[in-house]
């Protein structure tokens, strides 16, 4: 399965929510839909990230693939950019960390120059929103902000995918 297949369910959820969220009059229900979307978004990020690392390791060596698959079973939300760099990409060597930094910096610059959006900040904000919602019951972003952040996060994960190529 391609890592991009992981996004389909959340993409479909967003398409559906865009048609109904404006009709919800109860702020608590709207907040729950917003929080649920943040959970769905970050969950598919985690799955996509696991897929990227598992595929990379399996292509390197069958045993490495098995070890990495077991290692990433316990990813559990540790997917902030600093986690990706310091814990996960670095595990494969400085070459891949440098590539990830370059890809991320390039994408960050190109997106920022056209839309004044920081994909790294958006990605981090969505992870924080999901955490706050799960632990307090209140999302820190609006549904439209989550949708925008989700798109930015997909760019971050694309950078990771491109960096983890041999």
């Amino acid at each position: 399965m391609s890592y991009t297949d992981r996004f389909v369910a959340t993409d479909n959820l967003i398409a559906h929510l865009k048609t109904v969220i404006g009709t919800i009059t109860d702020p608590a229900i709207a907040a729950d839909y917003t929080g649920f979307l943040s959970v769905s978004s970050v969950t598919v990020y985690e799955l996509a990230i696991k897929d990227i690392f598992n595929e990379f390791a399996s292509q390197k060596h069958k045993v490495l693939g098995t070890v990495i698959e077991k290692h990433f079973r316990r990813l559990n939300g540790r997917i902030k950019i600093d986690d990706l760099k310091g814990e996960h990409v670095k595990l494969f060597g400085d070459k891949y960390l440098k590539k990830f930094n370059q890809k991320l910096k390039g994408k960050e610059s190109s997106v920022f120059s056209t839309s004044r959006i920081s994909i790294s900040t958006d990605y981090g904000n969505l992870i924080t929103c999901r955490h706050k919602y799960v632990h307090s019951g209140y999302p820190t972003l609006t549904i439209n902000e989550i949708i925008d952040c989700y798109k930015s996060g997909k760019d971050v994960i694309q950078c990771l995918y491109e960096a983890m190529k041999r």
Side-chain angles (χ1 to χ4, degrees), residues 63-92:
V63 174
L64 178 61
T66 302
V67 169
I68 291 301
E69 184 177 338
K70 287 181 182 178
H71 172 77
F72 280 106
R73 281 186 189 151
R74 295 170 275 134
L75 190 62
N76 296 336
R78 291 186 336 266
I79 60 167
K80 291 181 179 176
I81 290 178
D82 286 345
D83 296 327
L84 291 175
K85 290 178 180 181
E87 288 182 47
H88 308 313
V89 176
K90 192 172 184 176
L91 187 66
F92 297 97

Side-chain angles (χ1 to χ4, degrees), residues 80-144:
K80 291 181 179 176
I81 290 178
D82 286 345
D83 296 327
L84 291 175
K85 290 178 180 181
E87 288 182 47
H88 308 313
V89 176
K90 192 172 184 176
L91 187 66
F92 297 97
D94 289 337
K95 170 184 169 183
Y96 295 101
L97 180 58
K98 183 178 178 180
K99 280 175 62 176
F100 179 57
N101 283 328
Q102 289 172 337
K103 298 282 183 187
L104 189 58
K105 184 178 179 182
K107 187 66 170 180
E108 183 81 41
S109 293
S110 70
V111 170
F112 190 81
S113 69
T114 59
S115 60
R116 297 292 185 239
I117 292 172
S118 167
I119 61 171
S120 298
T121 299
D122 277 1
Y123 178 81
N125 287 343
L126 181 52
I127 293 169
T128 299
C129 178
R130 175 243 169 240
H131 180 78
K132 294 284 187 181
Y133 176 72
V134 167
H135 295 284
S136 72
Y138 300 101
T140 57
L141 300 170
T142 67
I143 197 151
N144 289 325

